[in-house]
Amino acid sequence: MSTTPRIGSAIPGAPAEFGTVMSHTPDIIAKFGDLYAEFWQQGLISQEVKEMTRIRNARITDCGY
Amino acid sequence: MSLIGIHSESFIEALALRPALHMKYTAFLAAIESSDAVPERVFTLCHARIAQIHGQQVNGISADESSMLRSQRLEAFDPSEQIALIAAEKIPYQHHAIEDEEVEAIKLAFGDAGCVSLLTALAFFDVSCRLNATMTGEVS
């Protein structure tokens, strides 16, 4: 597993992280933001439950987020 | 091949129970699919291989291509397709085994924006298969 960014930031001067790397594809990151906001802010499942499942998923997949 | 509405992704129909979520999910997939940097055929091949790995129905490729993908005879495909398929092979269950050199090859083949588009597509092809399996139980 790589520990250094494999794709640089699309924003000059900004470090490479999820948002700045995804900004290489502005339409995709914009649509992702719309989707993610809908997922987190709406629906019948509480944010606490969503966050618990997100953390569990991240641990199972060995994700640093 | 559209990412939306094909038989193997009938979980999309279930998402219609949440219209706003359905609309935004399909808009997101459409944005991935509309990438100028990655040929549609590359997406189709990668989607097919990930569906195979999940034991799901494969769409948009010939029986011969499906057989070659299943047996991982990548030499039958163009160099840029091979580069994408190497990453597609690892996304479902070996995502930490994708090597720096393999990502570098994707960047050389498709550019930085194409690399982001392709890796995002691979991840969400995998998501689609997982949602499909969870919501419809489709496993061949």
Side-chain angles (χ1 to χ4, degrees):
Chain A
M1 178 172 64
S2 180
T3 56
T4 57
R6 290 161 160 172
I7 306 170
S9 166
I11 300 172
E17 43 85 15
F18 182 81
T20 63
V21 171
M22 289 295 292
S23 292
H24 283 291
T25 54
D27 192 36
I28 293 176
I29 186 65
K31 296 293 194 307
F32 180 80
D34 291 344
L35 173 65
Y36 213 51
E38 176 68 27
F39 172 78
W40 279 100
Q41 295 171 10
Q42 306 296 331
L44 301 175
I45 309 300
S46 71
Q47 291 195 0
E48 288 80 4
V49 170
K50 290 175 184 174
E51 177 64 6
M52 280 195 299
T53 59
R54 186 197 66 76
I55 291 171
R56 182 62 179 149
N57 185 290
R59 287 183 177 174
I60 290 172
T61 57
D62 198 16
C63 170
Y65 271 90
Chain B
M1 179 182 68
S2 171
L3 303 181
I4 302 164
I6 60 177
H7 288 309
S8 67
E9 294 187 349
S10 53
F11 77 91
I12 289 285
E13 296 170 11
L15 275 186
L17 295 170
R18 286 279 313 279
L21 190 62
H22 176 270
M23 180 185 68
K24 290 172 183 178
Y25 191 85
T26 54
F28 171 63
L29 293 183
I32 295 172
E33 188 180 34
S34 66
S35 169
D36 293 331
V38 181
E40 182 181 357
R41 176 173 160 79
V42 171
F43 286 139
T44 301
L45 289 170
C46 290
H47 198 174
R49 180 56 192 146
I50 290 171
Q52 283 181 343
I53 291 169
H54 283 286
Q56 295 183 9
Q57 182 178 337
V58 170
N59 294 283
I61 62 173
S62 70
D64 282 349
E65 289 173 328
S66 180
S67 175
M68 287 185 286
L69 280 181
R70 192 176 301 281
S71 57
Q72 297 187 52
R73 284 153 42 206
L74 297 189
E75 70 278 5
F77 300 97
D78 291 346
S80 64
E81 294 167 354
Q82 292 181 35
I83 287 166
L85 285 165
I86 287 169
E89 189 69 29
K90 296 181 177 179
I91 280 286
Y93 298 109
Q94 311 168 68
H95 45 280
H96 287 306
I98 294 175
E99 303 288 347
D100 290 344
E101 295 75 17
E102 292 165 350
V103 177
E104 196 61 31
I106 293 173
K107 289 165 60 177
L108 286 172
F110 303 106
D112 283 1
C115 184
V116 171
S117 296
L118 180 63
L119 293 178
T120 305
L122 298 183
F124 278 86
F125 292 157
D126 188 49
V127 166
S128 295
C129 289
R130 290 172 186 272
L131 282 171
N132 205 40
T134 303
M135 293 192 185
T136 72
E138 184 195 331
V139 176
S140 63

